[in-house]
Amino acid sequence: MAAPLASLEGACNNLAGKLKSVPAGECKSAGLNVAGSASVQGQPILWRDYRSVKSKTPAKRVLLVGGIHGDELSSVAVTFEWMRRLSDQEKQPFYWRVVPCLNPDGVLAKVSKRVNANGVDLNRNFPTPDWNSKATLYWNNKTKSDPRRYPGKRAGSEPETRWLIDQIKSFKPDAIVSIHAPYGVLDFDGPRTPPQRLGFLNLNELGTYPGSLGNYAGEFLGIPIITLELPHSEASPTVAQSGRIWNDLLKWLERNLPQGAPPLFQRLSDPNWLRNAP
Ligand SMILES: [Zn+2]
């Protein structure tokens, strides 16, 4: 993987140019790290951790990802909004890893686009067991080769996808929250009873696709994954609306990831399995 070409400052200036709700100064002072690998065009992938000051036992871990699809700007904005909440809520009980924008090339394109700079839909590029047999067929037949949904030449072909897979393997999240738009629902994959609603978003299980993160993490790895579909790709929910989603999300996580419970996901704790996982 290529090292990032832009600094944190450059990345924040670029993002702020696209997102009115994310001022460059706030992005630069948000404690974000630059990942060791970059997007296809060398843009840094930014991330940071938030630890709970409250937790006595090892805190349950939650991975929060925005901007997998570059034209869903509201997903990046809401992730930053929730980073503000995490900074204020030191006593929330979880250990979070937050990735506000997994697909910076898509976001920063002149006209923001769903796919990355190689034209690959990252959310069809994860190495699900059915990828080789189904991803290309599905793309040809079900999407009529829609360029917005191209799964790539092979599973995990894209640096952004591979970086997130590495995060999942090393961070070992107990749950994943992935933010999208514009369907205005919430979707769920994996073990646990899904939340019926979070804020104004109601459960509507959309099913999984070959190569989707929901399929990879939820069905294959057995990590519960909540996919939020905000109602608009550009306009974000109000702070009050995203706050209610956040509060409901925390309640669901507290009910479903009790502290001190043994890890649900044995496979992620098994070094042999990890080495052999796609
Ligand atoms: Zn999306």
Side-chain angles (χ1 to χ4, degrees), residues 112-160:
S112 296
K113 56 184 187 172
R114 176 180 172 99
V115 293
N116 77 347
N118 286 334
V120 174
D121 180 346
L122 300 179
N123 205 34
R124 301 290 182 273
N125 190 239
F126 287 87
T128 53
D130 61 356
W131 201 96
N132 286 339
S133 61
K134 290 192 182 155
T136 306
L137 264 182
Y138 185 95
W139 181 63
N140 285 333
N141 297 339
K142 292 276 173 64
T143 80
K144 308 273 185 281
S145 306
D146 180 353
R148 288 167 41 80
R149 289 175 170 76
Y150 177 55
K153 284 201 181 109
R154 58 181 190 282
S157 57
E158 302 309 300
E160 300 90 348

Side-chain angles (χ1 to χ4, degrees), residues 216-227:
Y216 177 70
E219 303 204 347
F220 176 54
L221 296 180
I223 303 170
I225 170 164
I226 294 175
T227 302

Side-chain angles (χ1 to χ4, degrees), residues 69 72 180-181:
H69 289 143
E72 298 167 7
H180 286 260

Side-chain angles (χ1 to χ4, degrees), residues 23-253:
E26 179 188 333
C27 172
K28 290 174 199 174
S29 60
L32 288 158
N33 304 292
V34 172
S37 56
S39 71
V40 172
Q41 292 187 324
Q43 287 296 327
I45 298 171
L46 305 178
W47 65 279
R48 76 157 284 183
D49 286 352
Y50 294 86
R51 286 170 180 275
S52 170
V53 298
K54 190 178 164 195
S55 178
K56 291 190 192 82
T57 50
K60 293 294 175 189
R61 297 170 175 224
V62 187
L63 175 65
L64 169 62
V65 188
I68 295 177
H69 289 143
D71 57 356
E72 298 167 7
L73 297 176
S74 57
S75 75
V76 182
V78 165
T79 309
F80 271 95
E81 164 59 22
W82 288 356
M83 287 167 59
R84 290 177 204 124
R85 290 177 183 273
L86 282 166
S87 292
D88 292 343
Q89 296 181 1
E90 288 185 324
K91 291 185 177 163
Q92 63 76 30
F94 301 105
Y95 176 7
W96 293 80
R97 178 155 298 173
V98 183
V99 182
C101 181
L102 184 68
N103 180 9
D105 293 345
V107 168
L108 298 177
K110 203 164 182 191
V111 175
S112 296
K113 56 184 187 172
R114 176 180 172 99
V115 293
N116 77 347
N118 286 334
V120 174
D121 180 346
L122 300 179
N123 205 34
R124 301 290 182 273
N125 190 239
F126 287 87
T128 53
D130 61 356
W131 201 96
N132 286 339
S133 61
K134 290 192 182 155
T136 306
L137 264 182
Y138 185 95
W139 181 63
N140 285 333
N141 297 339
K142 292 276 173 64
T143 80
K144 308 273 185 281
S145 306
D146 180 353
R148 288 167 41 80
R149 289 175 170 76
Y150 177 55
K153 284 201 181 109
R154 58 181 190 282
S157 57
E158 302 309 300
E160 300 90 348
T161 318
R162 289 198 299 273
W163 181 80
L164 196 72
I165 292 167
D166 286 346
Q167 296 303 303
I168 293 171
K169 289 182 179 177
S170 58
F171 183 63
K172 298 184 174 64
D174 297 287
I176 298 175
V177 180
S178 144
I179 311 187
H180 286 260
Y183 296 108
V185 296
L186 77 93
D187 191 7
F188 185 86
D189 296 289
R192 300 302 196 220
T193 305
Q196 291 304 302
R197 54 177 301 170
L198 299 175
F200 68 98
L201 300 176
N202 292 305
L203 180 67
N204 182 355
E205 290 179 86
L206 302 167
T208 55
Y209 306 93
S212 72
L213 179 60
N215 187 343
Y216 177 70
E219 303 204 347
F220 176 54
L221 296 180
I223 303 170
I225 170 164
I226 294 175
T227 302
L228 299 174
E229 281 279 352
L230 302 170
H232 305 288
S233 297
E234 302 220 345
S236 300
T238 65
V239 172
Q241 285 172 329
S242 74
R244 283 191 285 274
I245 300 172
W246 173 252
N247 289 337
D248 287 350
L249 174 63
L250 283 183
K251 277 185 224 153
W252 186 88
L253 291 169

